[in-house]
Short mmCIF file of all heavy atoms in Angstrom, two decimals:
data_model
loop_
_atom_site.label_atom_id
_atom_site.label_comp_id
_atom_site.label_asym_id
_atom_site.label_seq_id
_atom_site.Cartn_x
_atom_site.Cartn_y
_atom_site.Cartn_z
N SER A 189 -22.56 0.78 -5.28
CA SER A 189 -22.29 -0.54 -4.71
C SER A 189 -22.94 -0.64 -3.30
O SER A 189 -22.92 0.33 -2.51
CB SER A 189 -20.81 -0.79 -4.59
OG SER A 189 -20.24 -0.06 -3.58
N GLY A 190 -23.52 -1.79 -3.02
CA GLY A 190 -24.14 -2.01 -1.72
C GLY A 190 -25.27 -2.96 -1.81
O GLY A 190 -26.16 -2.84 -2.63
N ASP A 191 -25.24 -4.00 -0.93
CA ASP A 191 -26.32 -5.01 -0.86
C ASP A 191 -27.68 -4.44 -0.64
O ASP A 191 -28.72 -5.01 -0.97
CB ASP A 191 -26.06 -5.99 0.28
CG ASP A 191 -24.91 -6.97 -0.15
OD1 ASP A 191 -24.50 -7.01 -1.29
OD2 ASP A 191 -24.40 -7.67 0.79
N GLU A 192 -27.73 -3.31 0.09
CA GLU A 192 -29.03 -2.75 0.54
C GLU A 192 -29.71 -1.88 -0.57
O GLU A 192 -30.82 -1.46 -0.39
CB GLU A 192 -28.79 -1.79 1.82
CG GLU A 192 -28.17 -0.47 1.56
CD GLU A 192 -26.66 -0.48 1.33
OE1 GLU A 192 -26.14 -1.53 0.91
OE2 GLU A 192 -25.97 0.55 1.47
N ASP A 232 -22.31 -6.23 -2.57
CA ASP A 232 -21.00 -6.29 -1.83
C ASP A 232 -20.34 -7.60 -1.85
O ASP A 232 -20.17 -8.25 -0.86
CB ASP A 232 -21.25 -5.86 -0.34
CG ASP A 232 -21.69 -4.36 -0.21
OD1 ASP A 232 -21.12 -3.58 -0.94
OD2 ASP A 232 -22.61 -4.09 0.63
N GLY A 257 -20.13 4.22 -2.44
CA GLY A 257 -20.32 3.17 -1.47
C GLY A 257 -19.20 2.22 -1.41
O GLY A 257 -18.33 2.13 -2.29
N GLY A 258 -19.08 1.53 -0.32
CA GLY A 258 -18.12 0.46 -0.12
C GLY A 258 -16.64 0.91 -0.09
O GLY A 258 -15.74 0.08 -0.29
N HIS A 264 -17.74 -5.20 4.65
CA HIS A 264 -18.27 -5.39 3.34
C HIS A 264 -17.83 -4.35 2.34
O HIS A 264 -18.37 -4.19 1.21
CB HIS A 264 -19.81 -5.38 3.34
CG HIS A 264 -20.35 -6.43 4.31
ND1 HIS A 264 -20.22 -7.79 4.07
CD2 HIS A 264 -20.94 -6.37 5.55
CE1 HIS A 264 -20.77 -8.44 5.10
NE2 HIS A 264 -21.19 -7.58 6.04
N ASP A 265 -16.79 -3.59 2.71
CA ASP A 265 -16.35 -2.50 1.87
C ASP A 265 -15.14 -3.04 0.96
O ASP A 265 -14.00 -3.08 1.45
CB ASP A 265 -15.88 -1.32 2.70
CG ASP A 265 -17.04 -0.63 3.35
OD1 ASP A 265 -18.16 -0.78 2.80
OD2 ASP A 265 -16.92 0.06 4.38
MG1 MG B 520 -22.03 -0.12 1.60
#
Side-chain angles (χ1 to χ4, degrees):
S189 75
D191 285 346
E192 75 283 24
D232 291 323
H264 304 293
D265 291 336

